[in-house]
Amino acid sequence: MATSTPSLEAIHLTKTYGSFTALSDLTLKIEGAKCVGFLGPNGAGKTTTLKLFSDMIYPTSGKAIINGLNVHEHKREALQSCGVLVETPEIYPALTPHEALSLIAEVRGIPAAQRDSVIQHALGWVEMSGWADKRTGEFSKGMKQRVNLAAVLLSDPDIVILDEPTTGLDPRGMAEVRDVVRALKRRGKLVFMSSHILSEVTDVCDEVAMIDHGKLLVYDTLEKVMARSNESRTVVEVGLSRPADPASLSGRVGKIVGVEVVEAIDRFNLRLILTPGVEVQERVLTELTGAGLGVISFRPSSSALEATYLDMIKDSR
Ligand SMILES: Nc1ncnc2c1ncn2[C@@H]1O[C@H](COP(=O)(O)OP(=O)(O)OP(=O)(O)O)[C@@H](O)[C@H]1O
Ligand SMILES: [Mg+2]
């Protein structure tokens, strides 16, 4: 059931276990084709939130809503448009991806006549088509996780919920999962993804929600969350489409008001230290693009997210 604007909404969502509050009064609305990173220390309440959205556990009070439907009251309809990867069981090693996905497709009620094409489509998304008939027991962890992602995508959901999808993978496995997340965004999906890896969040997420002790600390765009850092400077990485001479670049870029330091990482990448503030970032970006240097990316560095994260977690302790 595709809707034009995918949305996830929590309204005063609360989960307690006896006297312990795992999630406290979460109110949050996420809407549109984007990736939202869900950050917080161990035990913060991330998995609890994601399980409430997939009706794996039930709220003590409040509501989890998917595309306007209360998940607990309309589980089947709500979850039709939502794929969830939380606490995935191991794939039975003797099965091939095609066999494993066939079983899942059957359980999900995908009609037999459609199963093959749905499976091929999902394996194509995660770039595992060439491995459809090999035993998963031989696969790397990254490949197995891509098969798990394919399982989530079988019903072509417009919302995808992932709990630490890259944990336990090596750098290549992580990069592969990140590529899948980017592909999902390009196809108009809403991805809500918990993670402990801040560089991954800066890399693929448009927005960030931070949580600690079951309480939401902030939900905003990546840029605004990073700009909250108490650090008295902002580090931005700039990518160029054409190689440039570092010395002349430093001269030109260094003249822009708000740029304190220019460091040429190589002929295609610059690191800038800016005076703090989103408005400074906005102005520097405008001037950089106007300067005809072939700027193709402008990204506050992940250390800015780390600074904000550590500030926020410290304040909530
Ligand atoms: N069934 C349960 N009974 C009692 N307490 C629970 C239960 N499930 C979770 N908790 C507690 O709720 C808190 C939140 O757990 P949750 O799994 O949501 O954290 P998390 O943010 O996902 O952490 P991590 O980063 O370690 O995965 C933890 O303190 C956890 O011990
Ligand atoms: Mg967790």
Side-chain angles (χ1 to χ4, degrees), residues 147-304:
V147 177
N148 289 329
L149 285 165
V152 170
L153 301 175
L154 282 176
S155 50
D156 196 15
D158 54 11
I159 299 172
V160 179
I161 291 179
L162 306 173
D163 196 14
E164 297 188 40
T166 64
T167 295
L169 304 183
D170 67 10
R172 192 180 61 170
M174 287 182 170
E176 289 167 354
V177 169
R178 286 203 295 270
D179 284 344
V180 174
V181 171
R182 284 194 202 94
L184 291 175
K185 262 196 324 190
R186 280 197 301 276
R187 290 172 192 240
K189 316 282 179 195
L190 167 59
V191 183
F192 189 37
M193 175 179 93
S194 76
S195 177
H196 282 289
I197 302 159
L198 302 180
S199 59
E200 164 173 295
V201 171
T202 26
D203 203 29
V204 297
C205 296
D206 309 280
E207 297 177 346
V208 177
M210 282 190 195
I211 184 176
D212 196 10
H213 300 300
K215 292 210 172 89
L216 185 70
L217 304 176
V218 64
Y219 168 53
D220 212 330
T221 62
L222 184 63
E223 283 71 21
K224 291 220 174 102
V225 170
M226 293 208 237
R228 280 168 171 250
S229 154
N230 288 336
E231 286 234 311
S232 55
R233 53 181 213 167
T234 307
V235 180
V236 176
E237 288 162 5
V238 180
L240 307 174
S241 62
R242 304 185 284 276
D245 171 50
S248 83
L249 259 186
S250 299
R252 289 174 70 185
V253 176
K255 288 203 188 83
I256 300 174
V257 177
V259 176
E260 292 178 0
V261 179
V262 184
E263 182 194 343
I265 302 170
D266 56 40
R267 278 146 45 88
F268 290 96
N269 291 285
L270 294 175
R271 186 177 290 123
L272 308 181
I273 295 181
L274 309 182
T275 43
V278 209
E279 55 303 328
V280 176
Q281 287 181 38
E282 188 178 339
R283 193 161 37 71
V284 171
L285 175 59
T286 309
E287 293 205 26
L288 275 175
T289 42
L293 299 167
V295 171
I296 49 171
S297 68
F298 183 91
R299 217 168 37 198
S301 84
S302 55
S303 62

